Amino acid sequence: MTHVQYLKPFRKETPFHAAIDPLMQGNGWVRWQGYYSPAFYDSEQSEYFATRHGASVYDVSPLIKYSITGKDAARFANFLVTRDLTKIKPMTAAYTAWCDDDGKMLEEGTIFRLGENEFLLNAALHQLHWLGDAAYGFDVKIEEVSETLAGLSLQGPNARVILQAMGVKGIETLPHFGIMETQLDGKWLRIDRAGFTGDLGYEIWVKPQDALWLWEALFRVGTPHKIAPMGSLALDMVRIEAGFILVDVDYIGAKHAIRPTAAVSPFEAGIGWCVGLKKDSYFVGKRALAAEKEKGSRHILIGIEIEGRKPAPGAFLYADKPGKTELGLTTSAMWSPHLKKNLAFAKVPPAYAKPGTEMWIEIWHGKEQKIERSMVKCWARNRMFFDPPRKKAMA
């Protein structure tokens, strides 16, 4: 035995793996929380266009899911997150952040209120120890239930009609961020109207043993409606268009930041709208966030639109064309095939965050076996570049 044996990869298979594996046209696997997850099936371009013009299916089973129950569950959940959960009714979901005492984000994600004192928190990072510490003094039970649910995200303009074709009753009346539970072919389903694409979309949860049935049922009725599987490369494209931030890309969770200055607040991450400073009760980080609101943030993550067609990942922004006054850095970037715009997220000082503010950006790009530098104009924009009415509209 040598040390090399310890370097061998160990990955788990999601309940949908047997359906996904035959569709992989290349070695497009990546690791997501220890699971095999597709980066692409055929090409990210075709999967991107399926999402924007038909429908796509993405395996969200590796998401970490925490059940929060007990007599004090509602009080604890409202103490944990920045949103005012007293305004969130049962069978409704909400996007929120949760912070440390310094007001720095541990993470952001979706919390599902399934009952008066029953919640499910979706996370991309492991948070169980933090949740346990935060729950001191509350009569609650916190349990990771990730492997008890298998999920597919069905996204795109044809998502609703596919669920209707499957026979899901009442899907046409499910509001944005609403949750419903139903039975189909004797199988239990939980469906929430949410997603990571900024489009009309649903997340469908089943018991792991029913995963292959769900996959087959969706594709059986979805073929006439241009359904396609989607990997993480295409998902990254649509989430940038939608303005959604990604942990470890657009920000670093406070417990994972090597330098304390690398941690950010929800205001700095550009999601200050989900901070409920007017909540009657205290929540973790409230005092620090109230102080930041009054004093001002160090920087804000905004959307920018860039002149030309050359994407600008990891590019520096400046206040002037000569590049003497550095402003910030892009975190995510892409050329949008649907919007025909050059888009990015960038951290800039608050004075430059107002939509329409002109800046300059330095882009290095490959051209005929050499690297060229361009200094072009860019403008601050609302980060939600793509926000179609169908996302929230009823049938």
Side-chain angles (χ1 to χ4, degrees), residues 325-371:
T325 305
E326 183 182 316
L327 298 177
L329 183 74
T330 63
T331 59
S332 294
M334 68 173 292
W335 167 260
S336 169
H338 182 74
L339 300 175
K340 302 295 187 290
K341 293 180 179 180
N342 196 3
L343 310 176
F345 300 168
K347 295 179 180 180
V348 300
Y352 289 83
K354 183 179 178 181
T357 302
E358 184 179 288
M359 293 167 280
W360 292 84
I361 188 166
E362 181 183 37
I363 304 175
W364 292 87
H365 55 94
K367 182 178 181 182
E368 297 178 354
Q369 297 184 329
K370 62 179 180 178
I371 304 296

Side-chain angles (χ1 to χ4, degrees), residues 240-318:
I240 293 173
E241 289 178 335
F244 294 142
I245 58 176
L246 185 61
V247 66
D248 292 334
V249 176
D250 299 305
Y251 73 97
I252 300 173
K255 294 300 180 184
H256 292 77
I258 296 176
R259 293 173 291 111
T261 54
V264 301
S265 72
F267 295 121
E268 293 170 331
I271 56 170
W273 58 268
C274 74
V275 177
L277 290 177
K278 294 183 179 179
K279 270 205 251 190
D280 289 338
S281 58
Y282 180 77
F283 63 88
V284 184
K286 184 176 182 178
R287 281 186 289 268
L289 290 170
E292 180 183 338
K293 180 75 171 179
E294 183 176 347
K295 179 182 176 182
S297 303
R298 297 172 299 173
H299 51 73
I300 301 175
L301 187 69
I302 64 167
I304 60 169
E305 184 178 336
I306 304 166
E307 188 177 54
R309 296 171 60 92
K310 299 178 180 67
F316 285 97
L317 282 80
Y318 299 91

